[in-house]
Amino acid sequence: MLNQFSRTELLFGREAMEKLIKCRVAVFGIGGVGGYTAEALVRSGVGSIDLIDDDKVCLTNINRQIFATHKTVGQYKVNVAEERLLEINPDVKIVKHKTFYTNETADEFDFSQYDYVVDAIDTVTGKLLLAENAQKSSVPIISSMGAGNKIDPTAFEVTDIYKTSVCPLAKVMRRELKSRGIKKLKVVYSKEPAMKPIDDMEISCRQHCICPEGTKRNCTKRRQVPGSNAFVPSVVGLIIAGEVLKDLTGVRNNY
């Protein structure tokens, strides 16, 4: 019988769709990358999703984040995301976590409950902690490397962290993961050299932060505010969603 997932089922098959509805995926960070990942997963039939983010929508998020609009500025991202995702699939089970993933908050999460973990956060310490805890629980994880200051969405690829090059974030991750005995990590990254943002304080959040009141990690605390656009983070997020779906279902086009 026709339903909202019928077009997906034409490619994946009924058995795969039945798997997806039973799956629970945790998306850590629902900004430029993670927001598109979360929405694509829900549009594809994933039955349960955890949204982890302590941030509020800022005016400067509108250029790249799918849940950011003038109407949602100042609201918690997890609340905005929940409302939109339930409009897409009223039956999806959503668990919200208004928190930032750190050593202090890690105990709030039981990775054994997840079928897949998505790392779309932007701190090295958090990424390493996610990779460590996913490995301990034998849960598959995929991690987004640097998407800021880049303008070529076609340059991104899926590979293991130890096969990456050029990307400074991936370099740090390789070194730190190796020291922790983690031998593999699926990542999405690009060899495109990062551009240097224009040095114009009139358009930089660094000195003119407009983060909503109550934002815990605002722009003035960052060493550098990266440039961004609508087409790079979204592509990274959709690539991640595609990998998660193919891994969960086992469906791949082996052409």
Side-chain angles (χ1 to χ4, degrees):
M1 184 171 69
L2 284 171
N3 59 65
Q4 71 182 75
F5 305 118
S6 292
R7 292 294 185 94
T8 307
E9 187 175 332
L10 288 175
L11 293 175
F12 281 66
R14 179 173 298 180
E15 183 178 347
M17 301 309 296
E18 291 173 350
K19 284 183 181 179
L20 289 178
I21 200 170
K22 297 175 183 177
C23 286
R24 182 177 178 182
V25 179
V27 181
F28 287 82
I30 53 170
V33 172
Y36 278 90
T37 299
E39 178 154 324
L41 293 175
V42 171
R43 286 188 183 276
S44 300
V46 169
S48 299
I49 190 166
D50 283 46
L51 306 173
I52 302 97
D53 202 310
D54 70 340
D55 209 359
K56 294 180 179 179
V57 177
C58 175
L59 181 67
T60 61
N61 296 155
I62 294 176
N63 79 318
R64 68 194 183 283
Q65 298 188 16
I66 196 166
F67 302 127
T69 65
H70 283 276
K71 180 180 178 180
T72 63
V73 167
Q75 299 181 45
Y76 279 103
K77 292 180 181 179
V78 291
N79 291 345
V80 173
E82 178 185 45
E83 181 178 355
R84 180 176 167 94
L85 295 177
L86 286 174
E87 289 178 351
I88 294 168
N89 181 11
D91 296 321
V92 67
K93 297 176 183 177
I94 297 175
V95 179
K96 298 181 296 181
H97 305 265
K98 292 178 185 175
T99 189
F100 188 63
Y101 194 73
T102 63
N103 276 308
E104 290 70 34
T105 62
D107 289 341
E108 299 176 19
F109 301 90
D110 180 1
F111 277 49
S112 67
Q113 300 299 306
Y114 302 138
D115 295 289
Y116 217 109
V117 169
V118 173
D119 161 26
I121 61 178
D122 56 9
T123 64
V124 173
T125 53
K127 288 179 175 295
L128 293 170
L129 191 58
L130 284 174
E132 286 183 293
N133 288 330
Q135 178 177 267
K136 289 176 184 177
S137 299
S138 299
V139 179
I141 180 173
I142 185 168
S143 181
S144 168
M145 295 294 102
N149 295 328
K150 299 190 176 185
I151 61 172
D152 184 1
T154 68
F156 284 86
E157 59 184 283
V158 180
T159 190
D160 182 75
I161 187 66
Y162 293 105
K163 295 180 180 179
T164 59
S165 61
V166 181
C167 175
L169 175 57
K171 180 179 180 180
V172 174
M173 290 290 291
R174 288 197 306 271
R175 182 183 68 241
E176 295 298 326
L177 289 170
K178 185 176 181 179
S179 70
R180 288 163 170 76
I182 297 176
K183 298 181 179 180
K184 63 179 180 178
L185 176 66
K186 179 183 280 193
V187 299
V188 178
Y189 93 111
S190 168
K191 294 188 184 76
E192 178 192 5
M195 297 178 65
K196 184 177 180 180
I198 296 171
D199 187 19
D200 184 349
M201 288 300 106
E202 287 297 316
I203 55 173
S204 174
C205 302
R206 189 69 180 86
Q207 292 185 3
H208 304 283
C209 181
I210 56 173
C211 288
E213 184 178 352
T215 300
K216 297 178 181 178
R217 293 168 289 106
N218 58 38
C219 299
T220 57
K221 297 179 181 178
R222 307 182 72 164
R223 287 181 295 177
Q224 182 192 66
V225 178
S228 62
N229 52 64
F231 47 87
V232 167
S234 56
V235 167
V236 177
L238 294 175
I239 291 173
I240 289 175
E243 289 300 306
V244 173
L245 292 166
K246 288 182 285 188
D247 286 345
L248 288 174
T249 62
V251 176
R252 287 186 177 271
N253 186 347
N254 297 316
Y255 56 85

